Amino acid sequence: MSFEYFEYLYEKNQFDEIQIIDRAVESQGRPYYFLAMVRKGDQVQVCVLAQTKPWAGCFAMDQNTMRQNMKASLMWAGSAVDMSKIEINGQVLEIGGGQFQTLGEGSPECMVFLAKLAEAGFSMPKDHVFYQMEWNSIELSQAEVRTPPAQLPDWKNADICVTWAQQAKGYCIEKPLKLMAVSQKKTESEAGSDAESNAGSAAEPKVETDAESDVPMICSGQGFSFSMTDQDGIVKNAVCYVNSVTLIDMWAEYDQQFADPEYQKKAREHVSEEQFEDMKQDLYRALEQECPRGMCFFGIEYECECEADLTLEFYAAEYLESSPAVHHGGATVYLSTSKPSKEIGDHGLKLRACVIRTPAAPDTKELCVELFSAHEMIPEREEVFAGRKSDT
């Protein structure tokens, strides 16, 4: 902190217009507090407080293991910026992103901002849950209004209709597995018969377990069950059907892609010969950091049977216990092989794929992994918060 930074914060929080909203609401068991609308120049923000899980101990990300960092990221339950639209008295405010931070994380900036709102009349009610709550558990969202209105709407006593944007809800699972890279190829008639008999079946699959670790051993054509618990304590059960476990040679795939005359022709419609070669070398340098030439990645194709639409994430056990890797610039390796080979799997469900980005020798037969997390897509929804009744 310095006086220079203080002056910056002071100037940043000089608004042309402040309208105190002062509305406490609750959505899906989570308290929110609509603070104010502020205008500065041609920018208008809706400012909202929301309860979040404390991030204490999560800031030294480079000192944590990958498991700790990824579990910390799953703690986040979405912010008020995930509103896509607000309607007050027939006036629609389209939300175009914004910023959010816990009050504790952005303490100096948030204190100056809240002090400015206090000058305009804001005061947190003493009977509200936020009044005595630690600031590390309160998130401040400043949502940008896409098309600022000429006049700020009157929130007093009005119904507030919020459209919550589609969100990904994360679950931490941490189920140990041993993947077996064994091909169990079937004829088309066998695969079709399996799909017909298995479609819609929620029976728990039978799997072998490792004699020493008692961990399920999973290869192509097998499956396993798991459960997950959301923040409200609700348990959901699911079955994962593994269609294939394979070793993927990323180097061979990119070598083939760059050697393809049709790919070269399309690429050179947009870049020069020199730029094409630079792009190729940048990608190879990035790939070398993740998977040295001669090594492979494990790939898994799966179906998931659950009341929720889930995408699963698998990681090697050694990766989860490692420290964050330092990469030295360059291109990002996009894994085209993370797309499944077909749309529908052997059990008649949507087929998905996951690449486990831990290098393995091409003759590796097994890999200790975890089904670390699952992500559920929550569709867009509307919610109306009734206005206060007038005393008159």
Side-chain angles (χ1 to χ4, degrees), residues 11-181:
E11 290 299 326
K12 180 181 178 181
N13 289 282
Q14 298 304 305
F15 301 107
D16 300 326
E17 188 177 0
I18 299 176
Q19 183 182 104
I20 301 300
I21 299 173
D22 186 29
R23 290 284 294 276
V25 302
E26 186 174 295
S27 176
Q28 297 187 335
R30 186 184 188 198
Y32 292 83
Y33 200 95
F34 283 81
L35 287 171
M37 284 190 78
V38 297
R39 184 198 299 276
K40 186 171 187 176
D42 58 356
Q43 290 188 322
V44 170
Q45 294 179 332
V46 180
C47 305
V48 186
L49 296 178
Q51 184 175 6
T52 188
K53 289 191 175 182
W55 282 74
C58 298
F59 301 109
M61 304 296 276
D62 58 338
Q63 300 176 21
N64 294 340
T65 63
M66 292 305 301
R67 181 190 301 278
Q68 290 170 318
N69 286 349
M70 291 192 293
K71 287 182 75 170
S73 68
L74 284 172
M75 287 166 53
W76 177 68
S79 77
V81 178
D82 285 327
M83 300 180 296
S84 62
K85 185 170 60 178
I86 306 173
E87 184 175 345
I88 311 101
N89 291 329
Q91 187 171 357
V92 177
L93 305 174
E94 299 283 350
I95 303 300
Q99 63 183 28
F100 65 93
Q101 59 187 332
T102 64
L103 293 180
E105 178 189 8
S107 185
E109 181 172 358
C110 293
M111 288 185 73
V112 174
F113 173 72
L114 291 175
K116 196 64 183 176
L117 296 191
E119 289 179 5
F122 162 70
S123 177
M124 178 63 69
K126 293 184 179 181
D127 60 352
H128 192 273
V129 65
F130 288 162
Y131 187 75
Q132 293 187 341
M133 185 178 290
E134 287 294 325
W135 276 18
N136 280 339
S137 297
I138 304 174
E139 180 179 272
L140 170 64
S141 296
Q142 294 167 290
E144 301 281 351
V145 178
R146 196 183 302 274
T147 305
Q151 183 175 353
L152 300 186
D154 182 7
W155 295 68
K156 187 178 181 180
N157 302 327
D159 291 350
I160 304 173
C161 180
V162 174
T163 301
W164 301 96
Q166 178 177 274
Q167 300 178 39
K169 184 177 183 179
Y171 301 85
C172 190
I173 299 171
E174 297 181 291
K175 182 180 180 70
L177 302 166
K178 182 175 284 188
L179 291 185
M180 315 296 291

Side-chain angles (χ1 to χ4, degrees), residues 101-262:
Q101 59 187 332
T102 64
L103 293 180
E105 178 189 8
S107 185
E109 181 172 358
C110 293
M111 288 185 73
V112 174
F113 173 72
L114 291 175
K116 196 64 183 176
L117 296 191
E119 289 179 5
F122 162 70
S123 177
M124 178 63 69
K126 293 184 179 181
D127 60 352
H128 192 273
V129 65
F130 288 162
Y131 187 75
Q132 293 187 341
M133 185 178 290
E134 287 294 325
W135 276 18
N136 280 339
S137 297
I138 304 174
E139 180 179 272
L140 170 64
S141 296
Q142 294 167 290
E144 301 281 351
V145 178
R146 196 183 302 274
T147 305
Q151 183 175 353
L152 300 186
D154 182 7
W155 295 68
K156 187 178 181 180
N157 302 327
D159 291 350
I160 304 173
C161 180
V162 174
T163 301
W164 301 96
Q166 178 177 274
Q167 300 178 39
K169 184 177 183 179
Y171 301 85
C172 190
I173 299 171
E174 297 181 291
K175 182 180 180 70
L177 302 166
K178 182 175 284 188
L179 291 185
M180 315 296 291
V182 179
S183 177
Q184 294 186 348
K185 292 186 178 180
K186 303 177 182 180
T187 65
E188 289 187 9
S189 60
E190 288 175 330
S193 175
D194 285 350
E196 184 176 339
S197 61
N198 291 327
S201 171
E204 184 171 331
K206 296 180 180 180
V207 297
E208 296 182 14
T209 57
D210 182 78
E212 294 184 5
S213 61
D214 199 34
V215 169
M217 301 169 64
I218 306 297
C219 63
S220 302
Q222 294 185 323
F224 59 91
S225 60
F226 64 94
S227 62
M228 52 194 186
T229 306
D230 66 15
Q231 294 182 334
D232 299 319
I234 298 174
V235 177
K236 295 181 181 179
N237 297 312
V239 177
C240 176
Y241 302 107
V242 177
N243 283 221
S244 68
V245 179
T246 57
L247 283 162
I248 302 167
D249 187 342
M250 295 300 303
W251 287 91
E253 292 199 6
Y254 279 114
D255 286 343
Q256 183 179 3
Q257 174 180 292
F258 284 123
D260 180 7
E262 187 63 28

Side-chain angles (χ1 to χ4, degrees), residues 291-304:
C291 184
R293 187 178 282 275
M295 303 292 278
C296 298
F297 286 145
F298 267 69
I300 178 171
E301 289 190 339
Y302 66 90
E303 302 162 81
C304 193

Side-chain angles (χ1 to χ4, degrees), residues 325-391:
V326 177
H327 294 289
H328 304 286
T332 300
V333 180
Y334 294 99
L335 302 181
S336 59
T337 44
S338 62
K339 294 182 180 179
S341 57
K342 54 186 178 180
E343 291 187 7
I344 304 299
D346 295 342
H347 290 73
L349 304 171
K350 184 175 181 179
L351 190 64
R352 289 187 166 94
C354 178
V355 175
I356 301 170
R357 297 172 73 143
T358 295
D363 59 351
T364 303
K365 299 301 182 185
E366 60 186 48
L367 181 67
C368 293
V369 304
E370 286 186 20
L371 168 55
F372 181 76
S373 59
H375 295 271
E376 174 188 3
M377 291 309 300
I378 308 298
E380 184 178 85
R381 62 186 177 87
E382 281 190 0
E383 190 169 13
V384 177
F385 302 107
R388 299 164 175 161
K389 293 182 178 180
S390 176
D391 295 333

